[in-house]
Amino acid sequence: MTSSESEPLRLYRKALRYAESDPEVFLGTARRAAESILLDIALREAIGSKPTLEALLTVLSAKHLVPPKVVLAVRTIQNYGNYGSHAQDAPAEEISAEDVRPCLNALTQLAVWYGRTARSLAEEAVRHELSGHPRRTGTTRLADSTLIVVKAVLLGCGLEKALARRNHHVLPLQLPWSDSLVRDVADRLLDAAVYNEQRILRLLETDEAVQDRVVPVGRVGYSMGGRNFYLLAARAGRWGGATAEDFLADPAGAQIAVPKHSDMFDNLLSALSTDEAGLADRGISVLDVPHHLGLELFHLNRDVLAVGGQNLRMHAREDDAYFELLNSDMLPAATQARLRSAAANVLIANRAWLEELELHPGELHRELMRSFHECGSDDEKYERLVRDLVAHASFPPETLPGTRERLVRHVLFESYRWGRP
């Protein structure tokens, strides 16, 4: 099992769990999370500093590595942390969950910034290493993934065997799911990758290097069959007694927690047939949250509505305190079709790589899809794939082994109609 969570984000999630139940403990944990975030950035940037919040913030902000708004968020956490430690000396003064809300909001703002920054620094490190290493003859650089729906394709399509027959060895490289994958294929840092079809088409229209050097080999399926959108609500919150029709008729005042720089945010806009400005016009506010956040996000606000990935969805289905206020199946047919189209994934390849191996895109696609469908129809191969995905896909740390397997089987069924629902 691959954990996608760093120590700073683990502390952030831990802090959220205390925000309502023990606000004083929350303040101390929030400060530790802030220190851990800044220390990680300092280590990644090879900057020496004392491991204290004040010293780290001073050094990083002096080097312009922390933007002013984030500095303000850290100062808020720091001040609340100081207040919490002094409050312990005055037991008569009790700190409530409402008292610490500004600190909670500041910590979330810091966590969102850290998630993007850490991901960007990690990408830069991998790309720097790739560009510094000469290409080896007979090696294919393939974008690897810990996303279940993509990893299933990479494991099940037989690409390694297909290339071995052509005397090529596959070198899998772990890179985040983003438009940069397409540009990496164009620049020949990668030879092939699986990515979202609509985003690829957008880049093919606007980026000359992508137009010239990237070839769509063929479609390899739809994430969750295009049924991956949902709005999760807490039964004890404002929307607990509402229906999908109630929400769609009058969403004013709704706060939706979703990572803004993600496919999930795009799906939200598509599901509601609007853009970001249209959300505001309808009285809907967006709370930008880190990726991979679990049910503890409802500690931010029990009235919040959440858009997340399939890990969050599976955990919610096992807890009767939450329900799907809205999902793909409740939307009009035209909207469902739009969401399905947005969920299509495509294998892309570098044009020069295809020519070197004398591969025709259509023939390669047919060969790989034959192997992929054989994997789904052969019980032994299917069960082996399930085991491999449980071992190598990404799950939140608290996900139990049985839940991981159920999630893998659920994603495979919804995306490829393999196994049983």
Side-chain angles (χ1 to χ4, degrees):
M1 185 270 291
T2 299
S3 172
S4 56
E5 185 169 61
S6 64
E7 175 64 10
L9 289 182
R10 184 192 71 79
L11 285 171
Y12 167 65
R13 286 158 59 96
K14 182 178 178 180
L16 289 190
R17 296 186 190 108
Y18 286 118
E20 287 186 306
S21 62
D22 196 332
E24 287 185 22
V25 173
F26 161 75
L27 292 177
T29 311
R31 183 177 181 121
R32 284 174 55 212
E35 285 177 352
S36 183
I37 285 172
L38 296 187
L39 180 60
D40 188 55
I41 296 298
L43 291 172
R44 289 171 187 265
E45 296 283 9
I47 293 170
S49 169
K50 292 180 180 178
T52 65
L53 192 59
E54 181 62 37
L56 288 163
L57 184 59
T58 300
V59 170
L60 292 174
S61 56
K63 293 184 177 292
H64 307 290
L65 293 172
V66 182
K69 285 184 178 179
V70 176
V71 171
L72 183 60
V74 176
R75 290 294 184 203
T76 300
I77 297 164
Q78 184 181 38
N79 290 334
Y80 269 84
N82 292 338
Y83 169 69
S85 62
H86 294 317
Q88 290 175 358
D89 300 329
E93 186 177 2
E94 191 169 317
I95 301 175
S96 70
E98 195 56 39
D99 291 333
V100 302
R101 183 155 296 281
C103 181
L104 178 59
N105 293 339
L107 182 61
T108 296
Q109 182 184 350
L110 175 62
V112 169
W113 169 79
Y114 166 72
R116 290 182 195 145
T117 303
R119 197 158 51 243
S120 175
L121 290 172
E123 283 188 59
E124 284 176 19
V126 173
R127 290 189 175 91
H128 180 72
E129 187 178 348
L130 284 177
S131 20
H133 281 70
R135 299 185 63 85
R136 293 182 182 177
T137 304
T139 297
T140 290
R141 292 174 170 179
L142 174 69
D144 199 0
S145 177
T146 58
L147 298 171
I148 295 172
V149 70
V150 177
K151 188 71 173 177
V153 172
L154 299 178
L155 290 172
C157 72
L159 181 62
E160 286 197 31
K161 288 182 179 178
L163 294 180
R165 289 194 290 271
R166 296 164 173 90
N167 300 314
H168 254 243
H169 164 72
V170 173
L171 175 64
L173 297 163
Q174 195 67 238
L175 285 164
W177 176 266
S178 74
D179 289 357
S180 297
L181 287 179
V182 185
R183 298 188 180 96
D184 290 340
V185 172
D187 296 337
R188 199 76 196 271
L189 288 177
L190 294 171
D191 296 306
V194 172
Y195 194 52
N196 177 267
E197 184 176 45
Q198 285 195 355
R199 288 179 175 268
I200 292 168
L201 293 175
R202 207 174 299 156
L203 288 167
L204 284 169
E205 289 174 0
T206 58
D207 190 313
E208 275 190 35
V210 172
Q211 291 172 12
D212 293 341
R213 305 174 201 158
V214 174
V215 178
V217 173
R219 190 177 289 165
V220 293
Y222 297 83
S223 296
M224 296 299 293
R227 295 174 294 277
N228 49 1
F229 170 76
Y230 64 90
L231 264 184
L232 192 65
R235 294 192 189 279
R238 171 191 166 181
W239 301 96
T243 64
E245 291 76 14
D246 295 333
F247 171 77
L248 292 172
D250 183 16
Q255 184 180 52
I256 298 179
V258 57
K260 284 188 70 174
H261 295 268
S262 70
D263 293 345
M264 290 175 274
F265 184 61
D266 293 342
N267 282 342
L268 170 65
L269 298 179
S270 187
L272 299 183
S273 303
T274 188
D275 55 18
E276 192 169 352
L279 291 179
D281 291 342
R282 296 168 72 174
I284 299 172
S285 62
V286 174
L287 178 62
D288 195 5
V289 295
H291 284 265
H292 311 302
L293 204 53
L295 291 173
E296 65 273 4
L297 68 83
F298 285 94
H299 292 297
L300 291 166
N301 179 352
R302 70 179 59 190
D303 296 330
V304 79
L305 299 173
V307 179
Q310 298 310 308
N311 285 312
L312 175 62
R313 191 178 210 175
M314 183 63 72
H315 281 295
R317 286 181 175 177
E318 295 180 342
D319 190 333
D320 194 50
Y322 305 95
F323 72 104
E324 291 183 12
L325 174 64
L326 184 67
N327 61 40
S328 302
D329 294 336
M330 302 174 189
L331 295 167
T335 306
Q336 290 186 33
R338 192 164 61 241
L339 286 168
R340 178 173 169 79
S341 178
N345 297 319
V346 170
L347 175 67
I348 56 172
N350 179 275
R351 191 181 301 278
W353 174 79
L354 288 168
E355 291 170 356
E356 286 170 16
L357 273 75
E358 299 181 348
L359 289 169
H360 184 276
E363 291 174 5
L364 176 61
H365 182 248
R366 284 190 289 274
E367 181 179 350
L368 297 180
M369 287 300 97
R370 273 196 301 271
S371 296
F372 190 58
H373 293 310
E374 283 173 12
C375 180
S377 58
D378 183 303
D379 288 346
E380 186 177 337
K381 289 181 179 178
Y382 169 73
E383 292 299 331
R384 189 185 310 129
L385 177 65
V386 170
R387 290 194 295 272
D388 285 344
L389 290 171
V390 169
H392 299 296
S394 178
F395 307 91
E398 72 275 11
T399 310
L400 297 173
T403 302
R404 288 178 215 146
E405 183 177 335
R406 285 195 297 278
L407 178 58
V408 165
R409 293 183 186 278
H410 173 67
V411 171
L412 290 178
F413 179 80
E414 292 294 337
S415 299
Y416 307 116
R417 283 302 187 253
W418 290 358
R420 293 186 296 276

